[in-house]
């Protein structure tokens, strides 16, 4: 009995206990820029939850409100209504406690790779020498040890995204938000980095939220996918990804993968999913 | 082995050729222009036999420069001291003002209008007053230099401190940065190229400030020398003083440009000058 529940918990971390991150009925509007002066709804009644160690993707077209959702979760923007809970606490201070990686790498051009990577530790009050040592320790796993002392403007887009991820993940945070981290890269580099990201984040206990407009990216990386529809961002479907982990080579052409892809495509096209 | 022996000698000479080519591209046009202008001036003065007190030929300006070199250098030293003190004062005040204006709405609203207003009053009208207030010594000149050169420093630095990318600020905030940390680790380094633009302009106008200050009343300096030489119809000496002043201004500009190159050595090229 006991071993059974334990096994269940490993397979489905959200199954029991409080979710690490929970978004409850969040609505966010902007003052409209079009004449008439009403408001544009960007997020409407968005709810989702992510357990510790779980990787969730939010899939939706451009402009449906994905970045806004992450900014609300990170505490950069205040929702009009609804709440965001960290470990069940709706009043938890989120800014500075949630790791957030933007679509743009936002590397500081006057800092080397390592100096950029250690920024979060430095801002957290860790002495520079100590921050530097810790960044260098992990740089190898990120494939960055050879360029550790180069300036970011000399690196390729893929390398820059690695630095940005290293910077986001070095401080110890229980939630990691990824805003289309590979959206600006070419398809080959993107596929490489997806595989690499899955390895890097594997066995970490973080709750990860990835927003993307790329169906395959969502399926390759996530345990669960929320489908979001625009223009007033709503969650229209939720799909558990029934694929083995770690995802084997060539999974993207397997029958199971294609079936799930079809399901997500249908949801994106506006047809309600079967589970809802 | 033999292949490399025949190959390598061509490489350095090629590099040297490229370097000579860029050097020539840099120096040839201004040198050619100056030579043409000076040649035309010399020819015109001689052909039209313009009197020397009206417009001396370049050759006699050079001769005066050579003959009164000690005198010119003595006065150049006075002027340079005023410039360096005034420029330093302007940098300290300009940077503090900009930091205040960029980090406080209240300071921006209250002080910034006066910073701009200060430049609408011509220094030539302030300089005589300063002379009355603080006397004919070097102090009044230092203040004139500071008044004229703090402005480009402040305005450029305020722009630079404000230019930080909104998303960058958000990134800092999600990493837990305080306002102070954002100022020190994001706004300040991203404003550095702007600061140097301001300092370069300030270096040049500080020379003008010193000359105006000395012109109005002084005990020495190149501006004073010009002022007393003109009524004596020593026009060649006025030109010699101008020549020394331009060299001084150029050296100051190059010093600031050199400091800029060093300070921004790790910045991407588009942010700094060409090379
Ligand atoms: N600062 C803003 N002011 C007004 N509208 C905004 C602002 N930021 C985003 N929006 C609007 O919110 C909607 C969602 O934007 P965003 O969250 O960036 O979408 P996504 O990340 O899915 O592409 C867009 O229609 C956009 O025009
Ligand atoms: Mg976006």
């Amino acid at each position: 009995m006991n071993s059974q529940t334990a096994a269940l918990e490993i397979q489905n971390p959200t199954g029991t206990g409080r979710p690490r991150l929970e978004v409850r009925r969040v609505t966010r509007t902007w003052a409209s820029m079009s004449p008439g002066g009403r408001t544009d709804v960007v997020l409407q009644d968005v709810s989702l939850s992510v357990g510790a160690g779980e990787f969730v993707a939010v899939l939706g077209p451009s402009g449906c409100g994905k970045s806004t959702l992450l900014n609300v979760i990170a505490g950069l923007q205040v929702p009009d209504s609804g709440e965001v809970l960290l470990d069940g606490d709706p009043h938890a201070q989120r800014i500075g406690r949630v790791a957030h990686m933007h679509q743009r790498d936002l590397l500081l051009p006057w800092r080397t790779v390592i100096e950029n990577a250690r920024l979060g530790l430095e801002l957290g009050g860790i002495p520079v020498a100590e921050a530097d040592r810790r960044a260098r320790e992990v740089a190898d796993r990120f494939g960055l040890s050879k360029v550790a002392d180069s300036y970011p403007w000399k690196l390729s887009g893929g390398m820059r995204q690695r630095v940005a991820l290293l910077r986001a993940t070095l401080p110890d945070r229980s939630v990691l938000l990824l805003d289309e981290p590979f959206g600006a890269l070419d398809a080959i580099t993107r596929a490489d980095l997806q595989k690499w990201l899955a390895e890097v984040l594997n066995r970490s206990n973080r709750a990860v939220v990835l927003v993307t407009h790329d169906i395959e990216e969502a399926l390759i990386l996530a345990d669960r996918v929320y489908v979001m529809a625009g223009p007033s961002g709503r969650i229209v479907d939720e799909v558990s990804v029934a694929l083995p982990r770690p995802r084997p080579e060539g999974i993207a052409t397997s029958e199971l993968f294609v079936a799930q892809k079809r399901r997500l495509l249908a949801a994106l096209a506006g047809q309600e999913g079967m589970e809802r | 082995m033999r292949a490399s022996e025949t190959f390598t000698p061509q490489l350095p000479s090629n590099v040297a050729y490229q370097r000579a080519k860029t050097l020539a591209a840099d120096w040839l046009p201004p040198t050619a222009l100056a030579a043409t202008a000076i040649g035309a001036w010399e020819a015109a003065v001689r052909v039209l036999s313009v009197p020397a007190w009206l417009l001396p030929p370049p050759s006699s300006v050079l001769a005066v420069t050579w003959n009164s070199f000690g005198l010119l250098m003595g006065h150049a030293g006075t002027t340079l001291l005023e410039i360096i003190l005034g420029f330093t004062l302007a940098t300290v005040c300009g940077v503090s003002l900009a930091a205040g204006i960029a980090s406080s709405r209240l300071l921006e609203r209250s002080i910034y209008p006066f910073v701009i207003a200060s430049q609408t009053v011509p220094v030539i009208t302030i300089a005589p007053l300063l002379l009355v207030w603080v006397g004919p010594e070097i102090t009044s000149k230092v203040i004139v230099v500071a008044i004229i050169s703090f402005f480009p420093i402040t305005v450029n630095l305020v722009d630079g401190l404000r230019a930080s990318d909104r998303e960058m600020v958000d990134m800092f905030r999600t990493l837990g940065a305080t306002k102070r940390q954002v100022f020190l680790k994001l706004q300040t380094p991203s404003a550095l190229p702007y600061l140097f633009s301001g300092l370069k302009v300030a270096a040049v106008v500080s020379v003008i400030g010193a000359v105006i200050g000395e012109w109005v009343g002084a005990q020495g300096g190149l501006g004073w020398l010009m002022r007393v030489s003109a009524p004596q119809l020593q026009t060649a000496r006025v030109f010699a003083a101008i020549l020394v002043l331009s060299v001084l201004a150029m050296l100051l500009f190059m010093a600031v440009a050199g400091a800029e190159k060093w300070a921004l050595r790790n910045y991407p090229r588009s942010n700094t000058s060409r090379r």
Side-chain angles (χ1 to χ4, degrees):
Chain A
M1 222 8 197
N2 250 348
S3 63
Q4 233 176 350
T5 37
L8 261 176
E9 211 172 302
I10 289 167
Q11 277 186 339
N12 181 12
T14 43
T16 53
R18 267 202 304 251
R20 177 131 280 173
L21 169 73
E22 201 179 348
V23 175
R24 275 196 198 150
R25 311 201 60 175
V26 160
T27 297
R28 175 87 173 99
T29 57
W30 288 109
S32 178
M33 281 179 284
S34 56
R38 277 179 296 116
T39 50
D40 284 338
V41 179
V42 182
L43 296 174
Q44 192 176 34
D45 239 355
V46 172
S47 299
L48 54 85
S49 69
V50 195
E54 197 186 14
F55 197 127
V56 158
V58 177
L59 176 67
S62 285
C64 76
K66 303 184 298 295
S67 296
T68 309
L69 174 63
L70 292 194
N71 285 337
V72 168
I73 295 175
L76 290 168
Q77 290 184 21
V78 183
D80 295 20
S81 65
E83 52 189 11
V84 180
L85 295 78
L86 271 192
D87 294 314
D89 180 5
H91 306 295
Q93 148 116 22
R94 298 193 304 283
I95 201 138
R97 282 197 47 202
V98 169
H100 189 180
M101 180 184 170
H102 292 75
Q103 175 165 2
R104 280 172 58 208
D105 55 64
L106 300 175
L107 298 178
L108 303 174
W110 54 84
R111 282 177 167 242
T112 63
V113 164
I114 284 294
E115 287 165 354
N116 267 290
R118 72 177 191 219
L119 181 67
L121 298 177
E122 234 178 282
L123 295 173
I126 291 169
V128 169
E130 163 75 6
D132 199 84
R133 193 185 55 73
R134 275 165 61 178
R136 276 177 206 280
E137 259 174 31
V138 196
D140 192 31
R141 199 152 59 86
F142 277 65
L144 291 169
S145 32
K146 281 202 187 109
V147 294
D149 298 305
S150 310
Y151 285 88
W153 38 275
K154 292 179 178 164
L155 305 184
S156 66
M159 289 302 245
R160 296 171 59 108
Q161 289 305 101
R162 286 170 192 246
V163 183
L165 185 72
L166 179 55
R167 177 182 61 196
T169 52
L170 263 181
D172 188 24
R173 306 276 191 265
S174 56
V175 176
L176 171 63
L177 310 176
L178 302 169
D179 192 347
E180 308 196 35
F182 310 131
L185 304 176
D186 62 273
I188 296 167
T189 311
R190 196 187 313 149
D192 270 356
L193 284 186
Q194 284 163 357
K195 216 175 125 211
W196 164 82
L197 181 73
E199 276 162 30
V200 167
L201 295 181
N202 195 23
R203 284 188 300 123
S204 92
N205 203 32
R206 287 190 189 86
V208 183
V209 183
L210 165 86
V211 307
T212 180
H213 58 247
D214 181 338
I215 299 180
E216 297 206 356
E217 181 166 278
L219 283 175
I220 285 171
L221 290 169
D223 303 312
R224 220 143 37 82
V225 180
Y226 290 96
V227 180
M228 208 169 162
S232 57
R234 290 171 304 122
I235 304 279
V236 295
D237 201 359
E238 181 190 340
V239 178
S240 282
V241 182
L243 295 170
R245 224 179 228 296
R247 306 279 144 87
E249 202 71 43
I251 184 121
T253 50
S254 74
E255 233 168 84
L256 198 56
F257 190 95
V258 174
Q260 303 221 352
K261 190 172 167 183
R262 200 172 294 132
R263 162 84 188 274
L264 290 175
L265 272 170
L268 278 173
Q271 300 163 20
E272 287 293 316
M274 288 163 273
E275 276 175 16
R276 278 215 147 191
Chain B
M1 198 61 183
R2 203 170 290 160
S4 77
E5 267 172 8
T6 51
F7 207 76
T8 35
Q10 286 180 337
L11 215 63
S13 74
N14 206 16
V15 169
Y17 170 73
Q18 285 301 332
R19 195 169 296 162
K21 211 170 127 180
T22 39
L23 212 67
D26 274 0
W27 289 98
L28 217 55
T31 312
L33 185 66
T36 315
I38 290 168
W41 173 4
E42 181 84 39
V45 169
R46 280 170 194 263
V47 169
L48 305 171
S49 23
V50 181
W53 55 267
L54 192 59
L55 182 65
S59 54
S60 66
V61 172
L62 275 181
V64 170
T65 310
W66 178 256
N67 294 332
S68 341
F69 196 70
L71 176 84
L72 285 165
M73 284 304 113
H75 289 291
T78 307
T79 306
L80 185 63
L81 181 66
E82 292 160 3
I83 290 173
I84 287 173
L85 291 176
F87 185 76
T88 309
L89 184 64
T91 306
V92 172
C93 295
V95 169
S96 323
L97 269 174
I101 288 167
S103 48
S104 149
R105 283 293 302 149
L106 182 68
L107 281 181
E108 180 190 348
R109 295 242 178 85
S110 51
I111 295 184
Y112 211 24
F114 291 104
V115 168
I116 293 156
S118 76
Q119 299 303 300
T120 62
V121 184
V123 262
I124 194 89
T125 63
I126 307 174
L129 288 174
L130 281 169
L131 202 65
V132 177
W133 292 336
V134 301
E137 292 84 16
I138 186 168
T139 320
S140 66
K141 270 61 77 182
V142 172
I143 295 174
V144 173
V145 170
I147 288 176
I148 203 168
S149 55
F150 89 95
F151 186 71
I153 300 174
T154 303
V155 171
N156 275 286
L157 189 53
V158 166
D159 282 351
L161 289 170
R162 279 183 185 157
S164 311
D165 188 318
R166 181 74 241 153
E167 269 193 281
M168 284 274 196
V169 177
D170 280 351
M171 183 270 288
F172 265 73
R173 295 214 299 144
T174 52
L175 288 174
T178 60
K179 264 196 149 168
R180 194 185 138 81
Q181 285 176 320
V182 173
F183 187 83
L184 289 177
K185 295 189 187 236
L186 175 62
Q187 286 175 282
T188 302
S190 46
L192 218 52
Y194 292 79
L195 172 64
F196 276 102
S197 300
L199 287 174
K200 282 192 282 193
V201 177
V204 174
V205 296
S206 68
V207 177
I208 301 170
V211 171
I212 291 175
E214 289 169 357
W215 194 275
V216 170
Q219 295 162 330
L222 290 170
W224 175 85
L225 187 67
M226 282 153 75
R227 177 80 200 263
V228 299
S229 302
Q232 297 169 12
L233 300 184
Q234 302 242 34
T235 315
R237 202 156 78 188
V238 175
F239 276 95
I242 291 174
L243 182 66
V244 176
L245 266 175
S246 341
V247 172
L248 206 64
M250 228 117 78
L251 289 177
L252 281 167
F253 184 87
M254 277 158 68
V256 178
E260 175 187 40
K261 209 171 168 182
W262 178 83
L264 303 184
R265 66 197 176 286
N266 294 329
Y267 281 54
R269 299 234 154 77
S270 60
N271 265 0
T272 59
S273 52
R274 262 180 320 139
R275 260 164 292 141

